[in-house]
Amino acid sequence: MKRIFVILSLMGFFCAAHAGPAIEIYTCELNEGKTLNDANEMVKTFGDMLRKAGLEDSYTAHLGFQQIPARPNSVNWIGISPTPKDFGKILEWFTEAVD
C-alpha cells in the first residue's frame, strides 16, 4: 500500500512539474484607419484592466506586425499565462457576465 501511495504521489508530482505556460496566438486585422499605435493603446488598456482585476501576474499580452503579412494590416496577438490554471482564471474573468 505504501508503494502505491509513493508511486501515485511521484506521478502527480511529475505531471505537475511538466505543466508549462499556456500560450495563445491570434492573427488579427486592424480596422481601416487604425495603426499599430492604436493597437498598442488597446493592449495597454487591457493590461490596466488586468491590474485592476488583480490578474496582472496571470496573463501578459503582446502585439506585433508580421514580417511578411498574410493580410494587409495584420497583427499577431500573443497572450502568455505562466500556467494553465492562470489561463483558466483569465478565461473566467474575460467571459464572465456583466450585470
Side-chain angles (χ1 to χ4, degrees):
M1 184 68 165
K2 187 176 181 181
R3 284 186 186 185
I4 292 173
F5 177 73
V6 170
I7 290 171
L8 291 176
S9 297
L10 287 174
M11 286 174 53
F13 172 76
F14 287 121
C15 288
H18 292 322
I23 300 171
E24 62 179 354
I25 301 173
Y26 295 100
T27 300
C28 310
E29 190 174 318
L30 295 176
N31 290 335
E32 189 174 327
K34 296 296 180 178
T35 66
L36 185 58
N37 288 335
D38 297 316
N40 282 329
E41 282 298 315
M42 183 271 308
V43 170
K44 182 182 176 300
T45 300
F46 184 75
D48 292 342
M49 292 169 64
L50 288 175
R51 277 187 286 289
K52 187 176 179 181
L55 297 169
E56 68 273 10
D57 294 332
S58 295
Y59 190 86
T60 303
H62 303 279
L63 282 183
F65 271 109
Q66 299 173 355
Q67 292 295 324
I68 302 174
R71 297 182 310 244
N73 289 330
S74 60
V75 295
N76 290 330
W77 170 280
I78 304 165
I80 304 168
S81 287
T83 66
K85 184 176 180 179
D86 284 310
F87 190 66
K89 289 180 194 177
I90 293 301
L91 287 177
E92 184 178 358
W93 167 77
F94 191 74
T95 59
E96 71 182 5
V98 178
D99 293 329

